[in-house]
Amino acid sequence: MGFILAAIPFFLLAIAIELWFDKRRATGYYQFNDAINSLQLGTLSRIIGLLKAAIPFSLYTLIYQNYALWQLPESSLLVWLFAFIAYDLGYYWVHRLSHRINVMWASHVVHHSSEEYNLTTALRQTSTPALFAWAILLPLAFFGISPMLLISCGALNLIYQFWVHTRHIDKMPAWFEAIMVTPSHHRVHHALNRDYIDKNYAGVFILWDKLFGSFQAEKDNINIVYGVSHQLKSWNPIWANFKVYRDLLTDTLNTQNWRDKFQLWFRPPGWRPQDVTDTHPRPWVTTKSLIKYDNQLSYMSKAYILFQFVITIALSFFLLLSASNFSLLTNVLLCGIAMFCLFATSTLQEQKPASFLFETLRIILVSSTVAYFSPAEIQGTVGVVTLCYCLISLMGLLILKRKQQRQTLSLAPTQSLANEAEN
């Protein structure tokens, strides 16, 4: 089992503990829709990672096997320490370029799109690759760091970064703040505030930021605002992964300058050709104008969405554990079903007109899939459980739909009077 997969239960436990602290302290660092969306994006990232695993790590492996200067033993603790530090240096530059090159930002922006900052934000990971990451990490193959050791160091690096996504921990002891990335450092990195933009890229060792001039300590007199200047304004995890790519493609098609069509993809985030800026302005927000995106949901809607999302997480976790037992085609099919489940949940959050149709399809699809893939010896029991789940879910969905219809009808007379008053 991979390090990240093994850590998932502990991540969820830590989130539950932080949520309890948040409620106890009444700090309001959690927003229901935002937290669910972050978890959706984390789930989608792991699912897509399953498909990425089917693609050979060919170039890195080729260089390691044929051109490595040394064959470093994976059993050595010193080799692991060297590989971990070397990977963190590579991560620093991948991360820094992800904030300075449009096409890389299009992938990384997913992690910054949340307008809250809590432990669920750590799981808000992209499902698309950072385009030039391979080139930055490729030298590690020449130094004899095996592909598996590189992947392991990457996983440990990501696990370390989980705990720094919190507002409930103030500054750590001075010696620790001087060497390691801390919640204080990483809050700066996620901030929309002008003083904090493009600072503190390091994953584990803050020393890299101090060495390469990108360090910024957290200031006591600044109220941090989180998010990005071009708001996502959606709970759809699929759209979150492709919005900036779509924006770049649209600008590429709209600009008349052929040089701009090319350089747009490699310019810093926010740069747009002048003719496109003039003819197709795009709204952006600042720390003063940002209004957090949200949809007001009833307690019953939240309970229903949370219940269904827990089911989706459980099934996705089972898929990740069982993937090696299935064929590539089966894994692709199951990943597609999981992606549709996440999409359907987002339509409920956004209260889309077709949400009840998508949700009905999702319930039937999940029930059928679980029943089909269950072991033969327990198919009877599983069949009864899935039937009960299906009936309870459809009943809950029907109640939600009727409640929404009653609310719509009750608001109609008020809206009619408002229109008459305007006339």
Side-chain angles (χ1 to χ4, degrees):
M1 185 189 298
F3 289 129
I4 293 179
L5 193 57
I8 288 176
F10 298 100
F11 289 164
L12 297 176
L13 177 61
I15 289 170
I17 293 173
E18 186 186 47
L19 183 58
W20 178 80
F21 269 103
D22 190 62
K23 295 294 183 184
R24 184 180 177 86
R25 295 177 177 178
T27 44
Y29 295 158
Y30 273 79
Q31 179 204 103
F32 177 83
N33 280 323
D34 181 87
I36 290 292
N37 189 229
S38 292
L39 293 172
Q40 284 178 319
L41 285 161
T43 304
L44 180 62
S45 174
R46 290 296 94 203
I47 291 169
I48 297 299
L50 190 62
L51 299 182
K52 288 179 184 176
I55 303 174
F57 202 10
S58 52
L59 184 58
Y60 189 96
T61 302
L62 177 68
I63 293 176
Y64 170 75
Q65 291 177 344
N66 296 282
Y67 303 104
L69 300 175
W70 305 279
Q71 292 291 327
L72 300 178
E74 294 182 8
S75 58
S76 169
L77 182 60
L78 286 177
V79 169
W80 272 80
L81 182 61
F82 167 72
F84 186 78
I85 295 173
Y87 178 88
D88 194 53
L89 175 59
Y91 172 86
Y92 169 86
W93 283 107
V94 170
H95 194 184
R96 184 164 182 166
L97 289 179
S98 294
H99 282 256
R100 303 308 302 155
I101 299 176
N102 258 330
V103 70
M104 295 183 72
W105 173 247
S107 170
H108 184 59
V109 68
V110 173
H111 184 59
H112 285 264
S113 58
S114 173
E115 291 161 5
E116 302 292 344
Y117 191 78
N118 52 59
L119 290 179
T120 66
T121 311
L123 304 184
R124 194 182 188 92
Q125 297 294 325
T126 183
S127 297
T128 61
L131 189 61
F132 301 114
W134 63 272
I136 297 169
L137 297 175
L138 210 54
L140 301 185
F142 288 103
F143 285 105
I145 296 175
S146 72
M148 289 308 299
L149 182 54
L150 181 75
I151 292 172
S152 297
C153 288
L156 291 173
N157 190 287
L158 197 61
I159 289 171
Y160 175 88
Q161 293 183 52
F162 173 77
W163 79 282
V164 302
H165 291 82
T166 183
R167 285 186 267 181
H168 285 285
I169 297 177
D170 200 2
K171 292 189 177 181
M172 304 293 289
W175 68 267
F176 195 85
E177 292 275 340
I179 301 171
M180 309 296 289
V181 173
T182 67
S184 176
H185 297 145
H186 208 62
R187 285 193 291 268
V188 167
H189 177 70
H190 273 259
L192 187 60
N193 306 70
R194 185 175 295 276
D195 288 1
Y196 291 162
I197 291 291
D198 293 336
K199 299 295 183 181
N200 298 359
Y201 299 108
V204 176
F205 300 108
I206 199 65
L207 294 171
W208 307 128
D209 285 291
K210 295 180 178 180
L211 180 63
F212 298 115
S214 54
F215 174 71
Q216 174 60 60
E218 188 176 24
K219 300 177 181 179
D220 294 332
N221 63 334
I222 290 182
N223 181 32
I224 295 181
V225 176
Y226 300 98
V228 290
S229 57
H230 295 289
Q231 289 177 283
L232 177 60
K233 291 189 176 181
S234 173
W235 304 126
N236 183 342
I238 312 297
W239 176 239
N241 276 281
F242 291 101
K243 178 184 180 297
V244 175
Y245 288 109
R246 194 288 306 267
D247 291 344
L248 289 173
L249 181 59
T250 301
D251 285 353
T252 301
L253 295 174
N254 286 332
T255 184
Q256 300 302 309
N257 188 312
W258 283 94
R259 181 181 178 183
D260 286 346
K261 288 178 185 291
F262 173 78
Q263 69 172 335
L264 169 65
W265 297 81
F266 303 98
R267 285 280 193 159
W271 186 90
R272 303 177 72 202
Q274 188 59 52
D275 59 340
V276 174
T277 302
D278 294 338
T279 58
H280 298 81
R282 188 172 294 146
W284 56 281
V285 298
T286 64
T287 55
K288 294 181 179 179
S289 64
L290 184 142
I291 299 175
K292 292 180 182 179
Y293 173 73
D294 197 14
N295 297 85
Q296 296 302 315
L297 300 175
S298 66
Y299 286 111
M300 184 176 179
S301 295
K302 289 181 180 179
Y304 178 88
I305 290 171
L306 181 60
F307 170 71
Q308 298 296 346
F309 183 66
V310 168
I311 297 295
T312 300
I313 280 193
L315 294 178
S316 299
F317 194 67
F318 171 77
L319 170 60
L320 294 171
L321 288 173
S322 307
S324 59
N325 300 323
F326 299 138
S327 67
L328 176 60
L329 183 60
T330 300
N331 280 330
V332 170
L333 175 63
L334 292 175
C335 288
I337 292 172
M339 290 171 65
F340 176 76
C341 290
L342 295 171
F343 165 75
T345 300
S346 74
T347 64
L348 275 179
Q349 289 178 265
E350 295 179 357
Q351 299 172 314
K352 297 287 187 182
S355 61
F356 292 104
L357 173 61
F358 286 131
E359 181 63 10
T360 301
L361 292 174
R362 189 198 65 79
I363 292 168
I364 295 172
L365 193 58
V366 166
S367 301
S368 303
T369 302
V370 171
Y372 180 81
F373 284 98
S374 61
E377 59 271 17
I378 60 170
Q379 273 190 344
T381 303
V382 172
V384 172
V385 172
T386 53
L387 180 60
C388 291
Y389 161 76
C390 188
L391 293 174
I392 292 171
S393 297
L394 290 173
M395 187 179 300
L397 186 63
L398 181 61
I399 294 171
L400 283 180
K401 185 175 182 180
R402 287 182 174 177
K403 185 175 181 179
Q404 183 173 316
Q405 289 174 338
R406 286 197 297 270
Q407 288 177 340
T408 303
L409 290 173
S410 65
L411 289 173
T414 305
Q415 184 63 45
S416 178
L417 289 172
N419 292 336
E420 288 179 8
E422 290 178 3
N423 295 330

